[in-house]
Amino acid sequence: MHRILLLLALLSPPLLSQVPTPRFIYIYRDSLKQGVDSAYRAIEDDAARICADLRCPNPYIGMETLSGPHEAWWLNTFVTESDTARVAHVYATNRALSEALGVVGRRKAALIGRPVEGFAVYRRDLSRGPAWSVAGARFIVVTVTRDHRPRDGSAWVMTDSTVYVMRPVRTRRDADALAQRNDARV
């Protein structure tokens, strides 16, 4: 299954300058119910302000699907295990941030299906092509599969064996062409 995701968030300097492919990626996906886009975006705009005001401990990428079921995705990347531990510690000890994000979760609960989330580990042996970089990208073509054969793009595998292969591209035309080459829905 291929999806084209539009980057919604402005990428912070740490993400733009990130050189090594992140070893870990935390993926969070909300499936939006029909007709809730405006209400959902208002809640997520509030969440972005909360993260900025309360100093969210890690930059993230926010995206939404342009093909397939309508979903909102967030990607958090981590180069080392100590990065993940540092971020987990901040969430565990920053009560104001945790409580504020808990309110966001409760506000959007009626607008979404059951979220899909989890950590995935980078698999160089399943990845082909250029190294992961979101610098200059506005779109990401994502393949979600359980097939563990190498694919074009950067591949991360979840503990349940789901493989996320991601290819950042600059233009919608590039994204559409890549998705069509892979027999994807646009």
Side-chain angles (χ1 to χ4, degrees), residues 17-86:
S17 63
Q18 186 173 2
V19 176
T21 299
R23 181 170 175 211
F24 305 101
I25 192 166
Y26 179 76
I27 300 168
Y28 182 94
R29 298 166 45 190
D30 276 339
S31 60
L32 278 61
K33 294 180 179 176
Q34 194 84 5
V36 301
D37 293 12
S38 294
Y40 184 86
R41 280 197 183 101
I43 293 167
E44 287 302 332
D45 286 347
D46 289 346
R49 280 189 291 281
I50 289 166
C51 287
D53 292 346
L54 298 178
R55 301 186 189 268
C56 206
N58 200 52
Y60 60 89
I61 301 170
M63 309 178 293
E64 72 176 88
T65 56
L66 297 178
S67 66
H70 192 191
E71 294 181 342
W73 291 42
W74 288 267
L75 305 177
N76 282 272
T77 60
F78 305 92
V79 176
T80 65
E81 287 184 40
S82 64
D83 280 344
T84 62
R86 174 189 56 80

Side-chain angles (χ1 to χ4, degrees), residues 2-184:
H2 302 275
R3 296 200 171 116
I4 297 176
L5 302 175
L6 169 64
L7 294 179
L8 293 177
L10 294 175
L11 301 178
S12 66
L15 282 175
L16 289 173
S17 63
Q18 186 173 2
V19 176
T21 299
R23 181 170 175 211
F24 305 101
I25 192 166
Y26 179 76
I27 300 168
Y28 182 94
R29 298 166 45 190
D30 276 339
S31 60
L32 278 61
K33 294 180 179 176
Q34 194 84 5
V36 301
D37 293 12
S38 294
Y40 184 86
R41 280 197 183 101
I43 293 167
E44 287 302 332
D45 286 347
D46 289 346
R49 280 189 291 281
I50 289 166
C51 287
D53 292 346
L54 298 178
R55 301 186 189 268
C56 206
N58 200 52
Y60 60 89
I61 301 170
M63 309 178 293
E64 72 176 88
T65 56
L66 297 178
S67 66
H70 192 191
E71 294 181 342
W73 291 42
W74 288 267
L75 305 177
N76 282 272
T77 60
F78 305 92
V79 176
T80 65
E81 287 184 40
S82 64
D83 280 344
T84 62
R86 174 189 56 80
V87 171
H89 176 74
V90 170
Y91 279 113
T93 58
N94 186 335
R95 187 173 180 170
L97 177 60
S98 294
E99 287 177 0
L101 292 178
V103 170
V104 167
R106 288 188 294 278
R107 285 177 60 200
K108 70 180 183 177
L111 308 179
I112 62 173
R114 184 176 182 173
V116 174
E117 63 181 314
F119 277 94
V121 177
Y122 177 67
R123 292 281 304 270
R124 180 182 304 242
D125 60 319
L126 301 180
S127 305
R128 292 193 309 217
W132 170 260
S133 174
V134 293
R138 292 195 58 224
F139 300 87
I140 297 177
V141 178
V142 180
T143 301
V144 181
T145 184
R146 291 196 185 259
D147 182 347
H148 284 233
R149 289 181 288 176
R151 295 184 183 270
D152 290 340
S154 298
W156 285 271
V157 179
M158 298 275 219
T159 57
D160 70 355
S161 294
T162 302
V163 180
Y164 287 83
V165 182
M166 301 185 198
R167 296 269 314 262
V169 295
R170 292 181 184 272
T171 68
R172 175 72 191 258
R173 180 179 290 179
D174 292 343
D176 289 338
L178 181 59
Q180 285 181 347
R181 237 186 351 261
N182 292 319
D183 296 324

